[in-house]
């Protein structure tokens, strides 16, 4: 009887264990399913999730921006993927498309445009640092040898090229806005004005470093004396139409005109006044005035041709033709 009772107890305990195991087996999938449904609900219906992601991207872009002295974010495929897969975006991207292997082609003027581009980024940062607009524009660049695939996505087939990517852009090729960098639009002031007109946000005053003389500008920037005309290879371009940029020949010519006027003044005040013959003295004085008048006229005319601005309203209108 004692043995039978022990066997009965063992049999009952075994049945309870199997029953408990069956309950665990059947209830565990239900718990897992409930957990997955809860996680899905949190991601789909939490009202702050999208704004938090957008805020993180803006914060990351500011962090990347601080790592570059120029204030221009160097883009790659990974960064672009993160930016364009974030929804919604609250900022504009200004992207300068670069190709190092083309820097030695002076007819493209790529190096000069690239040197002007950071001036816009720095000036925007200085002028809008304490404004809400500070997080609405990010200046970037993209290098061809590193991101050839991204060049194709934007439809970039020629340089120089700068694109404005609005916050609501879906198709990078059709929704991005090309910035005209030909002729006078290739300089910081002109590009900033174009950006303001398209974006509707202020860039502000362009803060330039102190400007050196024409000859020093040529030496420091390694500006070519002249370039070949891209439309006609048989022609040479000696004067650049647009402010802030000049070729070597142009700088030397303007420097010569300034030097001429500068030398004539001491010639008049120190030499001509000592001539005893009144006829020679008058002839020398008139000649010096004519040469000075001609030099000033040429400089004023060149300034008008390059910038489109008139020097003074009282100067004859024929000087600008």
């Amino acid at each position: 009887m004692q043995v039978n009772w022990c066997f009965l107890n063992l049999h009952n305990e075994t049945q309870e264990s199997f029953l408990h195991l069956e309950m665990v087996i059947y209830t565990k999938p239900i718990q897992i399913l409930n957990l997955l449904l809860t996680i899905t609900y949190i991601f789909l219906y939490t009202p702050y999730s999208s704004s938090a992601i957008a805020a993180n991207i803006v914060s990351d872009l500011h962090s990347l921006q601080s790592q570059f002295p120029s204030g221009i974010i160097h883009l790659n495929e990974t960064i672009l993927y993160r930016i364009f897969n974030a929804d919604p975006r609250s900022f504009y991207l200004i992207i300068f498309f670069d190709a190092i292997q083309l820097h030695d082609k002076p007819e493209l003027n790529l190096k000069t445009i690239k040197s002007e581009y950071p001036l816009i980024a720095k000036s925007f940062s200085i002028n809008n640092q304490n404004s809400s607009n500070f997080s609405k524009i990010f200046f970037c660049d993209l290098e061809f040898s590193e991101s050839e695939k991204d060049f194709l996505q934007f439809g970039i087939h020629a340089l120089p090229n700068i694109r404005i990517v609005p916050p609501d852009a879906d198709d990078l090729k059709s929704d991005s806005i090309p910035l005209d960098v030909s002729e006078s639009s290739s300089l910081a002031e002109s590009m900033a004005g174009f950006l303001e007109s398209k974006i509707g946000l202020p860039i502000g005053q362009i803060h330039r470093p102190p400007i050196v003389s024409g000859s020093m500008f040529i030496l420091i920037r390694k500006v070519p004396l002249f370039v070949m005309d891209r439309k006609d290879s048989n022609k040479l371009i000696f004067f650049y139409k647009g402010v802030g940029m000049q070729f070597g020949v142009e700088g030397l010519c303007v420097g010569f005109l300034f030097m001429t006027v500068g030398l004539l003044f001491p010639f008049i005040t120190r030499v001509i006044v000592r001539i005893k013959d009144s006829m020679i003295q008058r002839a020398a004085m008139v000649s010096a005035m004519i040469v000075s008048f001609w030099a000033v006229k040429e400089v004023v005319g060149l300034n008008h041709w390059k910038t489109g601005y008139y020097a003074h309203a009282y100067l004859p209108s024929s000087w600008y033709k």
Side-chain angles (χ1 to χ4, degrees):
M1 292 296 292
Q2 185 70 23
V3 174
N4 291 338
W5 182 81
C6 291
F7 176 77
L8 181 61
N9 286 343
L10 180 62
H11 179 72
N12 291 335
E13 289 177 0
T14 304
Q15 284 184 334
E16 290 177 359
S17 298
F18 276 112
L19 181 61
H20 178 71
L21 181 61
E22 289 177 357
M23 291 178 65
V24 171
I25 292 174
Y26 284 111
T27 57
K28 190 172 183 180
I30 297 175
Q31 292 175 352
I32 294 174
L33 180 61
N34 289 335
L35 179 62
L36 291 175
L37 290 174
T38 303
I39 294 173
T40 304
Y41 179 85
I42 291 173
F43 276 102
L44 291 179
Y45 297 100
T46 301
Y48 303 104
S49 58
S50 61
S51 61
I53 294 173
N56 287 337
I57 292 176
V58 171
S59 178
D60 291 344
L61 289 175
H62 278 304
S63 178
L64 285 171
Q65 191 179 48
S66 64
Q67 297 177 15
F68 299 96
S70 63
I72 296 175
I73 301 172
H74 187 67
L75 297 176
N76 55 39
E77 188 175 349
T78 303
I79 299 175
L80 282 173
Y81 179 83
R82 286 197 59 197
I83 292 174
F84 294 117
N85 282 275
D87 190 29
R89 295 192 306 272
S90 60
F91 51 84
Y92 287 85
L93 287 181
I94 315 298
I95 304 178
F96 174 82
F97 294 88
D98 191 19
I100 296 176
Q101 63 268 32
L102 299 179
H103 282 191
D104 59 347
K105 295 185 178 296
E107 64 272 14
L108 296 178
N109 203 26
L110 199 58
K111 289 180 68 176
T112 301
I113 298 174
K114 187 176 181 179
S115 66
E116 292 285 310
Y117 184 62
L119 294 177
I120 310 175
K122 289 183 179 180
S123 299
F124 173 78
S125 178
I126 293 172
N127 298 330
N128 297 274
Q129 193 165 12
N130 298 321
S131 170
S132 59
N133 296 329
F134 186 63
S135 297
K136 294 182 179 180
I137 302 178
F138 290 96
F139 292 86
C140 315
D141 66 1
L142 197 63
E143 214 286 317
F144 178 76
S145 62
E146 301 174 0
S147 308
E148 184 175 352
K149 179 181 176 182
D150 298 313
F151 269 63
L152 296 177
Q153 289 183 348
F154 280 94
I156 306 299
H157 300 291
L159 296 179
N161 204 309
I162 299 176
R163 292 293 180 93
I164 304 171
V165 184
D168 58 350
D170 292 323
D171 188 286
L172 301 181
K173 184 177 180 179
S174 60
D175 294 341
S176 60
I177 305 170
L179 192 154
D180 184 15
V181 292
S182 62
E183 299 299 333
S184 61
S185 298
S186 60
L187 296 169
E189 288 80 4
S190 299
M191 288 190 287
F194 183 87
L195 290 174
E196 289 180 341
S197 66
K198 293 297 181 180
I199 296 177
L201 297 173
I203 301 296
Q205 179 186 357
I206 299 299
H207 300 271
R208 288 182 174 274
I211 299 175
V212 297
S213 64
S215 58
M216 290 300 295
F217 176 86
I218 295 170
L219 293 174
I220 294 173
R221 295 288 189 91
K222 297 180 180 179
V223 177
L225 291 175
F226 53 84
V227 296
M228 293 178 59
D229 192 341
R230 282 185 288 180
K231 298 179 181 178
D232 188 352
S233 59
N234 295 322
K235 292 182 179 180
L236 299 176
I237 300 177
F238 296 96
F239 293 85
Y240 182 86
K241 190 173 184 179
V243 295
M245 170 60 187
Q246 63 183 26
F247 297 126
V249 171
E250 179 183 344
L252 294 174
C253 290
V254 174
F256 172 77
L257 293 174
F258 278 114
M259 182 186 68
T260 300
V261 177
L263 291 176
L264 283 175
F265 275 104
F267 177 73
I268 293 172
T269 57
R270 297 293 180 179
V271 178
I272 294 180
V273 293
R274 297 183 180 182
I275 298 176
K276 296 181 179 180
D277 191 320
S278 60
M279 292 297 295
I280 298 177
Q281 188 183 58
R282 290 173 184 174
M285 181 68 72
V286 172
S287 300
M289 292 177 63
I290 292 174
V291 172
S292 299
F293 182 83
W294 168 81
V296 173
K297 179 179 180 296
E298 291 299 317
V299 172
V300 171
L302 178 62
N303 179 74
H304 172 69
W305 176 77
K306 287 177 67 67
T307 66
Y309 295 110
Y310 292 88
H312 295 287
Y314 56 79
L315 294 177
S317 59
S318 60
W319 284 25
Y320 305 106
K321 296 180 181 180

